[in-house]
Amino acid sequence: MSSIQDVATLANVSAATASRALSRPDMVAQPTRERVLHAAQQLGYQPNMLARSLRQRETRTIGVIVTDILNHFHATLAKGVQDAADRHGYTAFLFNTDEDAGKERRALDTLRGHLPQGLIVVPTAHSRENLKLVPNLPIVELDRVTGNPGVTTVTVDNIGGARAATKHLIGLGHTRLGMIVGKQDISTAVERHAGFQQTLEEAGIEYHPELVLPGEHREEDGRHAALRLLSLPAHLRPTALFVGNNEMTVGAVLAARELGLNIPDDLSIVGFDDSRWAQTMTPPITVVAQPAYDLGVLACDHLIAQLGYLQAGHLQSGRARASPARVQLPTQLIVRQSTAPPVCVSTV
Amino acid sequence: MSSIQDVATLANVSAATASRALSRPDMVAQPTRERVLHAAQQLGYQPNMLARSLRQRETRTIGVIVTDILNHFHATLAKGVQDAADRHGYTAFLFNTDEDAGKERRALDTLRGHLPQGLIVVPTAHSRENLKLVPNLPIVELDRVTGNPGVTTVTVDNIGGARAATKHLIGLGHTRLGMIVGKQDISTAVERHAGFQQTLEEAGIEYHPELVLPGEHREEDGRHAALRLLSLPAHLRPTALFVGNNEMTVGAVLAARELGLNIPDDLSIVGFDDSRWAQTMTPPITVVAQPAYDLGVLACDHLIAQLGYLQAGHLQSGRARASPARVQLPTQLIVRQSTAPPVCVSTV
DNA sequence: TTGAAAGCGCTAACAA
DNA sequence: TTGTTAGCGCTTTCAA
């Protein structure tokens, strides 16, 4: 690896001049600049970011932490962030927590050592605590929120999404609706549940807590919850299911199949978050789709805008920090063939 | 961010001693060590990796480049690598190329600036050229190979996988087999095609080039190719399809559905690479499954082993580099319900 | 317009 | 066992 000194020597200038020729071309006479550029090219010179960042006290780097890179939604978030970062000339370092407090802590520590200038995080239930590890770091919470007051959040309208799904089912004539809901320690699960409950009540349909079963977001959880709900006596059994996340929806569909229930005749299902399998399954699943890529891009754009703002010195000038943004994107209900009016078996 | 100097001051020692207390505890008297550790804890000290790496000329960092992080297979590779790196105390920086030469080049340049000690790459068709950007960097090629002689490769037995798939179809009684094959500029596509062709010939079944259609790995390509193959006159139409990758398999299934063909009665399909939708589709798809996570882990383990070997000075001692490993993992044919004997319509 | 010098935070060689 | 010193590669004063 050739250093700036090598370039300088080859171009017959000092290291300082070589540095300027590359980073601030207008501070250098044209012939000199050309000599340096040529030398740099010839040597395949690539600046050592460690040294540059150390000196400039600025890495042009951001950290990205998602909870499950194997989940297509999260992979898409990450890609959106990375693409946007790239456009801004930033490099994004991606970490994965598997919803695990310890891994999150280690990711934050590792990240901290590399001095990112900002952080985009899909928080876990432990982030509120863990994020104290990186005080003074501009943070954008993505997809979920911790309630941490100072930070920018980029989320989806979960309440609206849940409402749309629930209304859709009610509109089809369902009156016994079940929900499989994520663990209530993350905001999306809470909001989706709230939207469901609200909508029932507004429609004058009684909310039956026993028809709302929790799961920890995994396929197996969805399957178990669905098995329990669908095994209720016929007059108690829900005719429609709203499932609060992607993975659990698969489980619910598999459970229905296991019990020999026909979708959508015996059971309507709406999932949250679209996916390849939701489209290719038989029948294709009605879902609340989320603009994952855009969420990622927006999170990054906001973070980097905030960095510019801070750099412009506004932090110094009084405590007038940019008030944190609350970005919320709409969801989209995609009606496919897993939802239909209930078959009127129990009209007594 | 507090520095080692802050820790040193608080503990009443020199920076050097503080450094030693943290990195080489046994070089420091116990009471001193305890003072330093306590001070570090109190300040929430985290070493600045930029400075450390700059000084030690070693970043404990590796680069990871995949071609499509949205593809579950690649996401799994990346996770395997990252988990393994973590276990070894290395940090993995992940980049994504979208099979694009320019993006790959930029990823390599960015990476280079951060001085990774090694690189794990899923090469594109342009990697052979692009990898010249990082000479002297230990490289592991993952999933695909460029033919570059010096590097370690970690792949799957694509030929074996394709053979197993083809044999399975032949065993069911198919004699007109079609293949939808990836663009022949990456090794996996070439090998899978070779396995297919070999197996036909060994079985004494004539290889019909017109039944082998190329695609560029995307769903739409698979759909188009399948539409063409399946629109052939009945006596020419293949009764079974081997599809060379994941995404194109979806397309092929959709094409069959569009044409009103029943799977597996009218058409058997085997895909390469398992996936959620392959399992949940109706019917579930027979596939050649790949141990993606293990591939990632192995790639990382081998790379890091190689780094240790180099560090141990073997590079200096003559040109006796560790001869590059050629790791190859087996695939597994998972027979599901998309394959069955052909219905004997044309037995004349 | 250019160069000399200092220093970002850290650790390794050397000295005490 | 500890401290002093130097220097990793870079950029940015400051001076010429």
Side-chain angles (χ1 to χ4, degrees):
Chain A
M1 273 286 293
S2 42
S3 72
I4 192 118
Q5 184 56 63
D6 299 330
V7 175
T9 306
L10 182 57
N12 252 302
V13 293
S14 70
T17 300
S19 172
R20 280 189 289 252
L22 295 168
S23 312
R24 291 126 99 102
D26 42 314
M27 288 184 68
V28 139
Q30 178 168 349
T32 317
R33 189 189 336 167
E34 282 172 3
R35 275 205 329 280
V36 173
L37 259 49
H38 183 251
Q41 176 135 42
Q42 204 171 328
L43 294 175
Y45 171 71
Q46 179 80 16
N48 180 328
M49 297 313 273
L50 305 174
R52 171 184 284 179
S53 300
L54 186 60
R55 169 67 231 233
Q56 297 194 138
R57 336 200 76 235
E58 154 182 344
T59 55
R60 290 188 86 75
T61 274
I62 63 170
V64 185
I65 301 185
V66 300
T67 60
D68 181 10
I69 191 65
L70 297 187
N71 181 320
H72 192 263
F73 174 71
H74 288 239
T76 311
L77 291 177
K79 181 157 201 283
V81 171
Q82 221 164 21
D83 287 354
D86 208 48
R87 278 196 291 278
H88 291 287
Y90 278 71
T91 301
F93 292 145
L94 179 62
F95 291 81
N96 195 53
T97 60
D98 292 329
E99 306 277 2
D100 181 87
K103 283 197 192 178
E104 184 173 72
R105 213 155 35 231
R106 278 190 299 142
L108 285 166
D109 270 336
T110 303
L111 219 35
R112 198 151 74 102
H114 291 274
L115 308 190
Q117 298 185 240
L119 176 63
I120 295 175
V121 59
V122 178
T124 67
H126 323 92
S127 293
R128 194 119 192 213
E129 184 63 25
N130 282 344
L131 286 175
K132 290 180 186 152
L133 288 171
V134 289
N136 313 325
L137 192 64
I139 293 179
V140 173
E141 293 178 353
L142 180 55
D143 180 49
R144 312 171 182 168
V145 301
T146 61
N148 195 326
V151 309
T152 295
T153 61
V154 175
T155 59
V156 123
D157 179 9
N158 286 292
I159 296 190
R163 292 176 62 93
T166 313
K167 267 189 205 153
H168 168 62
L169 291 172
I170 294 174
L172 288 170
H174 293 276
T175 54
R176 289 197 65 80
L177 313 200
M179 175 168 186
I180 301 176
V181 67
K183 207 171 161 203
Q184 297 289 297
D185 57 2
I186 59 174
S187 63
T188 46
V190 172
E191 290 168 4
R192 290 169 197 175
H193 177 250
F196 175 72
Q197 184 165 8
Q198 280 173 21
T199 309
L200 285 190
E201 286 165 0
E202 285 170 21
I205 298 180
E206 198 184 342
Y207 171 78
H208 295 286
E210 70 275 16
L211 295 187
V212 177
L213 256 43
E216 300 217 9
H217 316 281
R218 310 266 76 193
E219 173 180 328
E220 259 310 286
D221 303 318
R223 183 170 153 274
H224 280 303
L227 284 178
R228 275 188 51 200
L229 286 173
L230 300 176
S231 303
L232 290 172
H235 65 290
L236 292 178
R237 173 157 70 70
T239 59
L241 236 41
F242 173 43
V243 188
N245 91 342
N246 188 315
E247 291 293 307
M248 292 197 298
T249 307
V250 191
V253 171
L254 296 184
R257 286 186 185 169
E258 279 177 50
L259 295 176
L261 293 174
N262 182 288
I263 301 174
D265 292 338
D266 303 326
L267 179 72
S268 286
I269 290 192
V270 184
F272 212 106
D273 193 28
D274 199 10
S275 62
R276 189 35 120 353
W277 54 260
Q279 296 161 40
T280 54
M281 260 187 164
T282 310
I285 310 295
T286 297
V287 296
V288 179
Q290 310 186 85
Y293 188 81
D294 295 342
L295 285 173
V297 170
L298 274 175
C300 190
D301 286 349
H302 273 268
L303 180 63
I304 286 172
Q306 192 178 341
L307 297 184
Y309 187 81
L310 291 179
Q311 258 190 347
H314 293 258
L315 185 59
Q316 274 65 352
S317 61
R319 303 196 47 67
R321 255 181 93 159
S323 74
R326 290 279 121 86
V327 182
Q328 197 175 66
L329 262 45
T331 58
Q332 189 192 358
L333 179 71
I334 302 182
V335 177
R336 294 202 268 249
Q337 284 130 59
S338 68
T339 47
V343 267
C344 302
V345 55
S346 57
T347 44
V348 185
Chain B
M1 275 288 293
S2 42
S3 71
I4 191 119
Q5 184 56 64
D6 299 331
V7 175
T9 307
L10 181 58
N12 253 302
V13 292
S14 71
T17 301
S19 171
R20 280 188 291 251
L22 295 167
S23 312
R24 292 129 98 104
D26 41 315
M27 289 185 67
V28 138
Q30 179 168 347
T32 318
R33 190 192 332 166
E34 281 172 6
R35 275 204 331 277
V36 173
L37 258 47
H38 184 250
Q41 176 136 43
Q42 204 170 327
L43 294 174
Y45 170 73
Q46 180 79 17
N48 181 328
M49 297 313 271
L50 306 174
R52 172 183 285 179
S53 300
L54 186 60
R55 171 65 230 233
Q56 298 197 140
R57 337 198 77 235
E58 153 180 344
T59 56
R60 290 189 84 74
T61 274
I62 64 170
V64 186
I65 300 186
V66 300
T67 60
D68 181 10
I69 190 67
L70 297 186
N71 182 320
H72 192 264
F73 174 70
H74 288 237
T76 310
L77 291 177
K79 183 158 201 283
V81 172
Q82 220 163 21
D83 287 354
D86 209 47
R87 277 196 291 278
H88 291 287
Y90 277 71
T91 301
F93 291 145
L94 179 62
F95 291 80
N96 194 52
T97 59
D98 292 327
E99 307 276 1
D100 181 88
K103 283 197 192 179
E104 183 173 73
R105 212 154 36 230
R106 279 189 299 141
L108 285 167
D109 270 336
T110 302
L111 219 36
R112 198 150 74 102
H114 290 274
L115 309 190
Q117 298 185 240
L119 175 64
I120 294 175
V121 59
V122 178
T124 67
H126 323 92
S127 292
R128 194 120 192 213
E129 184 62 26
N130 281 344
L131 286 175
K132 291 181 187 155
L133 288 171
V134 289
N136 312 327
L137 191 64
I139 293 179
V140 173
E141 293 179 351
L142 180 54
D143 180 50
R144 311 172 184 166
V145 301
T146 61
N148 195 326
V151 309
T152 295
T153 61
V154 175
T155 59
V156 123
D157 179 10
N158 286 292
I159 296 189
R163 291 176 63 94
T166 311
K167 267 189 205 152
H168 169 62
L169 291 172
I170 293 173
L172 288 170
H174 293 275
T175 53
R176 290 197 65 81
L177 313 202
M179 176 168 185
I180 301 177
V181 66
K183 207 171 160 202
Q184 297 289 297
D185 57 2
I186 58 176
S187 63
T188 47
V190 172
E191 291 167 4
R192 290 170 197 175
H193 176 250
F196 175 74
Q197 184 165 8
Q198 279 173 22
T199 310
L200 285 189
E201 287 165 0
E202 284 169 23
I205 299 181
E206 197 184 345
Y207 171 79
H208 294 287
E210 71 275 18
L211 295 187
V212 176
L213 255 44
E216 299 218 8
H217 314 283
R218 310 266 76 193
E219 173 181 328
E220 261 310 287
D221 302 318
R223 184 170 153 273
H224 279 303
L227 284 177
R228 275 188 51 202
L229 286 174
L230 300 177
S231 303
L232 290 172
H235 65 290
L236 292 178
R237 174 158 70 71
T239 59
L241 235 41
F242 172 43
V243 188
N245 91 341
N246 188 316
E247 292 292 307
M248 292 198 297
T249 308
V250 190
V253 171
L254 295 183
R257 285 186 186 169
E258 280 176 52
L259 296 176
L261 293 174
N262 182 289
I263 301 174
D265 291 338
D266 303 326
L267 179 72
S268 285
I269 291 193
V270 184
F272 212 106
D273 192 29
D274 200 10
S275 62
R276 188 37 120 351
W277 55 259
Q279 295 161 40
T280 56
M281 260 187 163
T282 310
I285 311 295
T286 296
V287 297
V288 179
Q290 310 185 84
Y293 187 82
D294 295 342
L295 286 174
V297 170
L298 275 175
C300 191
D301 286 350
H302 274 268
L303 180 63
I304 287 173
Q306 193 178 342
L307 297 184
Y309 187 81
L310 291 179
Q311 258 190 348
H314 293 257
L315 184 60
Q316 273 67 351
S317 60
R319 302 197 47 67
R321 255 180 94 159
S323 74
R326 288 279 121 89
V327 181
Q328 196 174 68
L329 262 45
T331 58
Q332 189 193 0
L333 179 71
I334 302 182
V335 176
R336 293 201 269 248
Q337 283 130 59
S338 68
T339 45
V343 266
C344 301
V345 53
S346 56
T347 42
V348 184

